[in-house]
Amino acid sequence: MTLSFRTLSNTLLLLSALCTLPSLTEAANAKRGIAFALDLTEAGDASKASGTQISWEYDWQLNAPPNFPAGIEHVPMQHDRNGIDGFEAAVKGMGAKVALGFNEPDVAAQSNIPAGEAADLWKQGIQPLAAAGVRLGSPAVSSSPAPAGTQWLKDFIAACSGCTIDFIAVHWYGDGADNFISYIQQVHTDFPNKPIWITEFASTSTDTAAFLQAVQAFLDQTVNWLDGQDFVERYSWFAFSRRAPPGSNLVSNLLDNGGNVNALGNAYLS
């Protein structure tokens, strides 16, 4: 059958339009990440994040987890004082576009760094990355007891004259989506000119009758809210793991004991 020029032209236009349509596979969520708990996972678990809503990952360390799926951005972190002399070169060497600062420096059991010392360390090992075009996230402070974490952050920013802070990183653990939302709104009020990353958050509900349902409801409500806030740039649920940390009663792990994505994981990853 011979096609007329007009028919052929229209067919080509239709094919061109079809080629520009989005894939039938829904793209990953640019905000949604995972806190990958290396000590609470096993070999092969990382593959469960492939082809999901997850667009980025961090593991509280410089390097990505072994065999991590391609296409998911790894964000390196300078967890504490250790190794800060080599952080700049390593981040540049891996071609990272974003880096995270210290982990809960306001907490004695975590990196535990006074604000003034943290500012000096930042200028030494993290700030030089800004000149290379790497976006820098603030030290990630805890939410308990409020407002100690955000006050530490204010003290750090005051002490770190000339430092580049491209976005604010915070953590939150507690009970009730409304309490989480109120906290993040207060962080936005405290730092109105900076986007926010929530790099750890989870429900600590211990309702023994329906704790899994309570955590699921918390996840659904908070993630839906976070996706709708322009000032929230990224977030990561705690945690991509098979189990809770030792001594913790959290039931927020996204994998079961066998490394399979559980119901909570399905809600977050899908």
Side-chain angles (χ1 to χ4, degrees):
M1 180 174 65
T2 303
L3 294 176
S4 70
F5 176 78
R6 176 171 294 184
T7 301
L8 180 60
S9 177
N10 288 340
T11 301
L12 291 173
L13 287 172
L14 176 59
L15 289 172
S16 176
L18 288 173
C19 289
T20 63
L21 290 175
S23 168
L24 294 177
T25 302
E26 188 176 0
N29 186 326
K31 291 187 179 188
R32 193 169 305 177
I34 49 174
F36 192 97
L38 283 165
D39 55 340
L40 303 174
T41 55
E42 304 292 340
D45 286 352
S47 65
K48 307 302 192 305
S50 181
T52 69
Q53 286 289 289
I54 302 307
S55 60
W56 69 281
E57 163 279 333
Y58 86 108
D59 58 5
W60 297 273
Q61 299 186 38
L62 174 65
N63 296 309
N67 304 313
F68 204 79
I72 296 178
E73 178 188 6
H74 172 67
V75 178
M77 172 181 251
Q78 176 61 42
H79 183 277
D80 50 36
R81 302 173 180 85
N82 296 327
I84 196 166
D85 289 340
F87 188 68
E88 176 192 353
V91 170
K92 288 179 179 178
M94 67 175 61
K97 302 301 183 184
V98 190
L100 294 169
F102 309 113
N103 185 71
E104 296 189 357
D106 56 305
V107 177
Q110 292 299 322
S111 61
N112 189 27
I113 311 173
E117 180 187 353
D120 291 340
L121 291 169
W122 187 280
K123 292 175 182 178
Q124 169 190 333
I126 299 177
Q127 179 59 33
L129 288 167
V134 179
R135 297 184 69 236
L136 303 178
S138 75
V141 294
S142 72
S143 60
S144 180
T150 50
Q151 185 57 56
W152 184 100
L153 196 50
K154 291 174 183 178
D155 293 343
F156 166 79
I157 291 173
C160 209
S161 176
C163 293
T164 301
I165 307 294
D166 292 300
F167 57 89
I168 299 297
V170 296
H171 296 169
W172 189 91
Y173 293 94
D175 194 8
D178 290 344
N179 293 326
F180 169 81
I181 290 170
S182 294
Y183 175 76
I184 301 304
Q185 287 174 327
Q186 183 59 53
V187 173
H188 179 48
T189 298
D190 290 343
F191 306 96
N193 299 318
K194 303 287 185 184
I196 296 172
W197 287 29
I198 303 94
T199 51
E200 288 182 36
F201 75 108
S203 169
T204 58
S205 175
T206 56
D207 178 355
T208 55
F211 60 87
L212 288 175
Q213 292 90 332
V215 174
Q216 177 82 62
F218 173 90
L219 182 148
D220 291 342
Q221 187 174 347
T222 55
V223 166
N224 182 64
W225 182 81
L226 290 167
D227 282 341
Q229 308 308 306
D230 291 340
F231 65 85
V232 174
E233 190 169 273
R234 292 187 181 183
Y235 58 82
S236 55
W237 180 264
F238 184 90
F240 192 86
S241 64
R242 295 188 177 204
R243 52 196 174 273
S248 166
N249 61 356
L250 288 175
V251 291
S252 56
N253 45 294
L254 300 179
L255 306 176
D256 64 21
N257 289 334
N260 301 303
V261 177
N262 59 23
L264 197 65
N266 275 323
Y268 189 73
L269 301 178
S270 300

